[in-house]
Amino acid sequence: MTTASHPVTILGTGSYAPERVMTNEDLSQMVDTSDEWITTRTGIRERHIAADGETASDMAVRAARLALDSAGLTADAIDAVIVCTMTPDQPCPATACFVQEKLGLEGKTAFDLTAACSGFIYGLQVASALVHAGTHRHVLLIGAEKLSAIIDWTDRSTCVLFGDGAGAVVLGRGPDHRHGIIGVRTGANGAQAELLHVPGGGCRIPASEQTVRDRLHFLKMNGREVFKHAVRGMEQVARDLLDEHGYVAGDLDLVIPHQANLRIIDTLGSRLEIPPERFFNNLERYGNTSAASIPLALDEAVRAGRVRPGDLILMLAFGAGLTWGASLLRWSGNNQPVPLSEN
Ligand code: ACO
């Protein structure tokens, strides 16, 4: 029997990627780049691109339904919907409200959370606090992004990196006291906001004909600087979280890092002395899907049998803000309690 003393856990996962696939070869027809450059510098081979009318909330709903199925729950068991996104359907209202309506969750809490590529880990911290507090029994936490809508398709330094998609989890109390979320840490440094940002469209530089002409509604990035901060930031937050809970990197069964660049992940692995086979990566097929990246990878890892009950899993994120975050959890399986002693 599940009780209020059990840790909060992930009860189910789901993900969705749009049908259209854009390969590196396709991109080389659009900008001055090559499959060789993109593959060796990033590890990305292809990404999914949403259809014209397909929105972040459409993708979120597809992932959410699968997460509900995997948790063995129906939508009416959900008390809150949180959508982590930097590409909302509209500036107002929250994309979560569109998701809530599409899932038929009238009256339930719904809000967006913006922490760019760290959004899902921030969301995990907030959503698990809601469940822990007892105000919400089950929370649907979704990362959904249509980055293709804010990418400058004439800028080869950014357009090759990103893709669209969604990943979702259902959070609730775990099956016993030994499985579930052990800890979450997040942080930010707003002094480095300009390393990765969309300058126009907010109240500082409202949309105008001029902002469109100046291409201020597109994502701008200092890739080299972001790379360095990403490695340092994720290494530090991983060490701090492991230390805080009395673990070392060697205890980890699986690491699910933000899927931005294989070179970032490999460098992180060497610094933390975690062998490459302990990382789950799928950026080769999706590129960087920002807040969707970790839940999308988690869902694929679960469905591929890479996550077993009792596994110690570290999720690591880094993104615009700059922001970062890490989460440590003992996997409980989908509504299937398996005691650690049986592993
Ligand atoms: N194709 C061919 N050449 C390119 C391309 C391209 N697509 N893009 C850049 N180049 C060129 C540059 O113009 C430069 O040429 P130059 O030497 O003649 O000036 C050369 O390649 C090297 O450019 P760098 O920027 O130094 O390349 P680098 O090895 O740093 O790789 C990259 C660039 C892939 C962007 C890397 O810096 C990176 O991954 N950074 C981190 C990005 C990231 O993770 N961002 C997401 C954070 S998450 C979020 O919140 C959205």
Side-chain angles (χ1 to χ4, degrees):
M1 200 185 92
T2 299
T3 77
S5 66
H6 291 172
V8 180
T9 197
I10 292 175
L11 298 170
T13 64
S15 62
Y16 168 78
E19 204 178 309
R20 182 178 166 208
V21 172
M22 185 184 280
T23 63
N24 291 349
E25 192 53 42
D26 295 333
L27 277 163
S28 71
Q29 313 292 315
M30 296 159 61
V31 288
D32 182 14
T33 191
S34 64
D35 175 47
E36 202 264 333
W37 192 96
I38 303 170
T39 309
T40 53
R41 299 283 179 133
T42 71
I44 301 164
R45 292 185 187 276
E46 56 189 40
R47 67 286 294 143
H48 292 253
I49 302 294
D52 281 349
E54 193 172 24
T55 64
S57 70
D58 293 332
M59 293 187 275
V61 166
R62 301 284 289 259
R65 289 195 202 284
L66 293 169
L68 284 165
D69 283 353
S70 111
L73 293 171
T74 50
D76 56 6
I78 298 299
D79 300 318
V81 181
I82 305 175
V83 176
C84 309
T85 187
M86 59 185 274
T87 50
D89 287 15
Q90 301 173 193
C92 178
T95 298
C97 294
F98 297 120
V99 172
Q100 183 231 38
E101 195 271 329
K102 287 173 191 173
L103 289 175
L105 294 173
E106 198 187 326
K108 304 295 175 66
T109 306
F111 62 95
D112 286 1
L113 190 155
T114 304
C117 300
S118 309
F120 181 75
I121 302 296
Y122 269 70
L124 212 52
Q125 196 169 41
V126 172
S128 55
L130 293 180
V131 177
H132 189 77
T135 53
H136 298 75
R137 203 170 29 124
H138 296 119
V139 179
L140 189 53
L141 175 66
I142 311 167
E145 300 281 14
K146 186 174 179 176
L147 292 162
S148 60
I150 60 159
I151 292 306
D152 182 347
W153 291 102
T154 66
D155 174 9
R156 69 176 183 174
S157 70
T158 52
C159 76
V160 302
L161 303 174
F162 299 97
D164 300 333
V169 299
V170 177
L171 290 169
R173 289 284 178 184
D176 59 53
H177 67 277
R178 287 184 290 188
H179 297 85
I181 295 172
I182 295 164
V184 186
R185 275 180 98 103
T186 51
N189 184 357
Q192 292 158 329
E194 286 192 4
L195 292 181
L196 180 51
H197 66 144
V198 178
C203 65
R204 191 194 331 229
I205 309 177
S208 67
E209 285 180 24
Q210 190 63 40
T211 60
V212 173
R213 267 197 298 276
D214 293 344
R215 309 183 83 75
L216 297 185
H217 300 281
F218 293 126
L219 190 75
K220 319 275 180 200
M221 181 175 70
N222 178 336
R224 214 174 281 187
E225 281 304 307
V226 172
F227 189 108
K228 285 190 257 173
H229 287 293
V231 171
R232 286 192 212 124
M234 284 193 282
E235 180 189 0
Q236 193 58 53
V237 73
R239 289 190 190 283
D240 290 346
L241 186 63
L242 288 167
D243 275 0
E244 183 184 341
H245 295 282
Y247 290 98
V248 294
D251 295 329
L252 295 168
D253 295 295
L254 196 67
V255 181
I256 301 184
H258 172 47
Q259 303 289 302
N261 186 322
L262 198 53
R263 283 162 51 221
I264 293 178
I265 296 169
D266 287 347
T267 310
L268 196 58
S270 321
R271 288 190 179 209
L272 290 168
E273 296 183 61
I274 301 171
E277 60 274 15
R278 297 261 171 88
F279 283 81
F280 183 85
N281 296 324
N282 63 5
L283 82 174
E284 190 182 23
R285 288 175 289 116
Y286 297 103
N288 178 348
T289 57
S290 192
S293 139
I294 291 177
L296 208 163
L298 174 67
D299 182 51
E300 284 208 340
V302 170
R303 287 172 200 270
R306 284 286 305 275
V307 182
R308 292 153 304 156
D311 277 357
L312 186 66
I313 302 174
L314 178 71
M315 299 193 269
L316 280 175
F318 189 86
L322 295 176
T323 55
W324 54 86
S327 162
L328 193 61
L329 63 105
R330 186 72 74 180
W331 189 251
S332 53
N334 300 346
N335 282 350
Q336 302 296 324
V338 179
L340 290 182
S341 55
E342 285 181 25
N343 289 289

